[in-house]
Amino acid sequence: MIRPVERVSIQKTVTSHHLLVANFESSSATDLATHQTTRSALGAHLFRTMDDGKLASIPTGLINDNALASAVRNTYLSFLERRDALGLSNPGTFENINREVSRDVLLTNFMFTGLRAEWNKPISNSPIFQLSHQLSMGAQGMSPYTFSALYGSSKVFLQGTMENDGSLVARSNYRWNDSLITKTHAQIQSSQSMLSIENDYSGRDFTASLKAMNPSIIEGGVKGIFIASYLQSVTPSLALGIEAVWQRVAMNSSPEALLSYGARYKGSDWIASLQVQTEGPQGSAISSSYWRRLTDKVSVGTDLSLQFAPGLSGQGGPMGGSLQKEGSATAGAKYEFRASTFRAQVDSKGRLSCLLEKTILPAVRVTFAGEMDHLKQQAKVGVGVSVEAMSEDLMEQAEKGGVQAPAVPF
């Protein structure tokens, strides 16, 4: 029987040097030096350094007398040494595994049609506080009038948007520490509402995420959409990840689950990614992307996707074993000039799109967007103007660089 380790004498030794482990983060350089000296005197304890720089104490009497525990400890310490020697970096989240292509080069998040005017009023730079009014006409999926307010500090990000029909969208991000961020997204509309809660933990060489959309347990069971993902760097260039999705729309329907696997490889001036979704109720899918920086001002990207869905009834359905296949390909380029940015893309469905953002004055930006669908013989055009009404004090601070904007937890 292993007797519990006596800690009374150890606490007396530590008290004389004010070396409580709970106060380690606030110790001065002198206290740290004293702590290193005291560590050698505390033979009944073993101190180890964690990834976040904190110290934890483990009674060595429980380890030295157990060969198995000692072997596990030595293996773990050897693993940490080899892991540090690789020099791995954080790969980002699984959701943004192809962020350079989908969020920077291609026009998915930038394209619009009709007329749009936006007026921004910055109130403060640190913390960030801004009001915005947006008017649109003839735009698909956009409200005629939208009012929004934004607040951001190093720990909190808040954004609220209200449209003329009463629809409300609210976002909030909170940084608990340097590694953990909680993101909340709520949407209230006349037709339906949505609530999303996400937690992202960013380690030194990995990112783990847990997301819940419209979770509920008030109907006698669990329903909603739950997504768990993990992306790990295995070499300085290669990262591998997995994503699991579980969903139940209603209690009278059976739950559905699927798995997705992803890989991301980063070269000197190019990045490639691959995602494979296993077979689920909607079939399976494979998507890949490739991004390359040609010059300091020019970057290109491609995105390929292929979906396999079960055949419809009477058309070679599941009994027949046939699958419906659908694929798409998109290629785009981004040009950055001194006072403007130009994006263009073309896809396999015959659509050619382009978008130009031009800064006319430091506070005025004009955007032109256009799309031509050659197969449907249709064309769409969008024009937008954005004005930033910054006060003279804030403009002077921005020019002098006296106030630095905080790192908002997006």
Side-chain angles (χ1 to χ4, degrees), residues 39-55:
R39 284 179 57 184
S40 61
L42 302 179
H45 286 262
L46 169 68
F47 289 82
R48 59 184 176 87
T49 303
M50 305 298 290
D51 288 344
D52 55 2
K54 298 179 180 179
L55 296 181

Side-chain angles (χ1 to χ4, degrees), residues 70-190:
S70 179
V72 172
R73 169 182 169 273
N74 294 334
T75 302
Y76 178 71
L77 293 178
S78 177
F79 169 76
L80 291 181
E81 292 177 358
R82 293 177 180 271
R83 178 181 173 185
D84 294 339
L86 291 176
L88 303 179
S89 60
N90 186 280
T93 61
F94 187 92
E95 181 181 6
N96 297 326
I97 196 171
N98 62 341
R99 54 186 176 272
E100 289 80 9
V101 176
S102 61
R103 296 181 178 273
D104 188 39
V105 175
L106 300 185
L107 301 179
T108 306
N109 299 324
F110 302 94
M111 195 63 192
F112 70 97
T113 58
L115 301 178
R116 186 177 67 180
E118 186 175 359
W119 182 82
N120 300 318
K121 176 62 177 179
I123 307 298
S124 173
N125 287 333
S126 182
I128 299 175
F129 183 47
Q130 177 177 302
L131 302 178
S132 177
H133 302 268
Q134 181 174 298
L135 301 173
S136 61
M137 182 175 61
Q140 298 180 356
M142 298 184 64
S143 175
Y145 172 75
T146 302
F147 170 78
S148 63
L150 182 148
Y151 173 86
S153 65
S154 59
K155 294 183 69 67
V156 179
F157 171 75
L158 301 174
Q159 184 180 22
T161 302
M162 177 171 287
E163 300 179 354
N164 63 297
D165 59 354
S167 301
L168 176 65
V169 178
R171 292 178 55 196
S172 67
N173 297 353
Y174 185 81
R175 177 183 282 123
W176 300 94
N177 50 48
D178 292 339
S179 300
L180 180 60
I181 297 179
T182 298
K183 303 177 182 179
T184 305
H185 182 206
Q187 184 174 348
I188 301 176
Q189 294 180 339
S190 57

